[in-house]
Amino acid sequence: MVSLTVLYPKTADSQFDMAYYLNTHTPLVKARLSTMGLLSVDMREGLAGGAPGTLPPYAMITSLTFNTMDELQKGMDQHGAELLGDIPNFTDVEPQTQICQVR
């Protein structure tokens, strides 16, 4: 299996609309990619950094899991522009991405 991990950096000034992300963006991702092989979506909201009272490095870390790299690539080829185009609706940061082999 492979995972597309999307990390949304958190700064003192960054904006992240959690309600929009959970109620609009995530259902859109699932609707578009489930028919393309999406198996699961794992979301982790950042609460704090490693030391008490510090900001988390990321507001949200989300992993989209597929059986194969081909499924991931086909899904993003077909729907990536729409999904990426929705990002400014909930955050003002540029997300970081990484594709991983699930072990």
Side-chain angles (χ1 to χ4, degrees), residues 16-35:
F16 193 93
D17 184 341
M18 189 63 68
Y20 185 94
Y21 185 78
L22 295 174
N23 299 318
T24 303
H25 185 72
T26 301
L28 176 66
V29 169
K30 290 178 179 179
R32 297 299 184 263
L33 298 180
S34 289
T35 61

Side-chain angles (χ1 to χ4, degrees), residues 3-102:
S3 175
L4 170 62
T5 301
V6 185
L7 305 102
Y8 296 94
K10 173 76 175 161
T11 68
D13 299 327
S14 62
Q15 302 295 318
F16 193 93
D17 184 341
M18 189 63 68
Y20 185 94
Y21 185 78
L22 295 174
N23 299 318
T24 303
H25 185 72
T26 301
L28 176 66
V29 169
K30 290 178 179 179
R32 297 299 184 263
L33 298 180
S34 289
T35 61
M36 307 300 292
L38 178 67
L39 297 174
S40 66
V41 177
D42 178 59
M43 298 180 291
R44 297 173 187 262
E45 180 181 359
L47 298 178
T54 61
L55 288 175
Y58 301 100
M60 176 65 72
I61 300 172
T62 300
S63 294
L64 309 175
T65 304
F66 294 81
N67 276 314
T68 67
M69 180 68 84
D70 188 51
E71 289 176 345
L72 168 58
Q73 289 174 331
K74 285 181 180 176
M76 293 309 291
D77 286 348
Q78 187 166 344
H79 300 291
E82 178 185 13
L83 300 177
L84 295 173
D86 192 46
I87 292 172
N89 292 323
F90 61 88
T91 188
D92 59 355
V93 300
E94 185 174 337
Q96 300 172 1
T97 59
Q98 179 170 301
I99 297 173
C100 301
Q101 179 71 46
V102 178

